[in-house]
Amino acid sequence: MKLEEMKITELFDTSHTIAARLFEGKTYPWEVLADLGSFIEQLGATLPEKEYRKIGKNIWVHRTARMAPTIALGGPAIICAGADIRQAAFLRGRIIVGERCVVGNSCELKNVILFDGVQVPHYNYVGDSILGYKAHMGAGSITSNVKSDKTLVMVHAEEGDQETGLKKFGAMLGDGVEVGCNSVLNPGTVIGRNTNVYPLSSVRGCVPANSIYKAKDDIVTKEVREVEEAPVPEIPEAEKGKKGLKVVK
């Protein structure tokens, strides 16, 4: 995957997030992670009280969001319209949960942006990451955000390793990405739009858009399949002409 393909404009449609302004003036999405907390505090202070309830010091929750009574929620955070935060979810702060997102039971979020329509519905850990519009992580899939040797995370582009200056950096998932159950996205992973990752995968590095990730050395381009129209069934001669039936000539 080329560095050009990792630009914000290539991965995301920023009209599908309340955080669109945070991406302005930036080239690559990981550049916004360090500023997320302060951005949430500034944006939250401008949100209309008729639409958002302020909880505590720096937490804003849309009045249409569904919040289970068993969640743990820390700030700064913004939970947008129609979001569904389910039982025992742990939202540790510096998070934006977009419209109609699902954060499921026993999930943990920290320093993340979920674009509108994202689903992390079962036992997911998402840290120091950005998930694009309608991205989905299967049950048990996680973003690993710290290298085992604690060195700074690099992005592995075709042109060579790119420094990020970040010790904690999980994954960037483009719009429409599907991650299979029990997969691990290693630090610095970037996945292009509309790509599917097989269940039980360990993804390290970058995966192009419109691909299917089966293994490190087995990444294929999605086929464009034409959908054929179903043939109109013939009506038996005995049924032709009856009320409500179409005569096929």
Side-chain angles (χ1 to χ4, degrees):
M1 190 175 185
K2 295 180 180 179
L3 192 59
E4 179 75 18
E5 299 173 281
M6 303 181 201
K7 289 183 175 181
I8 292 167
T9 52
E10 295 298 316
L11 292 173
F12 307 117
D13 178 352
T14 56
S15 69
H16 291 295
T17 176
I18 197 173
R21 188 160 46 86
L22 178 60
F23 293 90
E24 293 177 359
K26 305 291 197 305
T27 302
Y28 303 104
W30 53 85
E31 295 173 357
V32 310
L33 292 177
D35 300 327
L36 181 54
S38 59
F39 174 80
I40 292 171
E41 293 178 8
Q42 294 169 11
L43 177 60
T46 69
L47 296 174
E49 293 183 6
K50 289 184 179 181
E51 298 180 25
Y52 285 84
R53 294 180 291 120
K54 188 177 182 183
I55 302 173
K57 185 178 180 181
N58 293 313
I59 300 172
W60 293 267
V61 179
H62 198 277
R63 297 181 185 278
T64 63
R66 295 182 294 276
M67 310 287 285
T70 54
I71 68 172
L73 177 57
I78 295 174
I79 313 297
C80 296
D84 187 4
I85 315 298
R86 296 175 179 171
Q87 288 78 6
F90 182 20
L91 284 67
R92 290 170 49 189
R94 287 176 290 154
I95 59 170
I96 292 177
V97 177
E99 295 182 3
R100 303 176 307 283
C101 284
V102 175
V103 179
N105 57 301
S106 304
C107 290
E108 181 179 349
L109 305 182
K110 189 268 293 185
N111 201 42
V112 302
I113 299 172
L114 305 185
F115 276 53
D116 300 342
V118 167
Q119 294 189 355
V120 285
H122 309 287
Y123 311 108
N124 306 110
Y125 172 72
V126 186
D128 302 283
S129 300
I130 301 174
L131 277 58
Y133 179 55
K134 288 189 175 180
H136 172 261
M137 295 184 69
S141 58
I142 66 169
T143 65
S144 174
N145 61 335
V146 180
K147 295 173 64 176
S148 58
D149 61 6
K150 306 300 187 293
T151 57
L152 299 180
V153 177
M154 291 191 176
V155 172
H156 305 300
E158 287 184 15
E159 298 91 333
D161 290 348
Q162 305 295 316
E163 294 184 0
T164 67
L166 300 172
K167 185 177 179 180
K168 294 185 177 181
F169 171 8
M172 303 287 124
L173 272 58
D175 296 344
V177 167
E178 290 277 347
V179 178
C181 295
N182 291 319
S183 293
V184 176
L185 308 180
N186 287 278
T189 294
V190 180
I191 301 179
R193 291 186 184 191
N194 302 314
T195 283
N196 291 53
V197 175
Y198 267 26
L200 301 174
S201 296
S202 176
V203 183
R204 187 181 304 277
C206 306
V207 186
N210 302 305
S211 299
I212 299 175
Y213 182 99
K214 301 179 180 181
K216 179 181 178 181
D217 299 317
D218 191 3
I219 303 173
V220 299
T221 301
K222 281 185 176 180
E223 295 181 5
V224 178
R225 299 179 180 179
E226 295 184 2
V227 179
E228 296 183 2
E229 293 186 7
V232 178
E234 293 284 343
I235 299 174
E237 288 291 333
E239 299 294 325
K240 290 180 180 180
K242 288 187 177 180
K243 185 177 181 180
L245 294 177
K246 179 181 179 181
V247 177
V248 179
K249 296 181 179 180

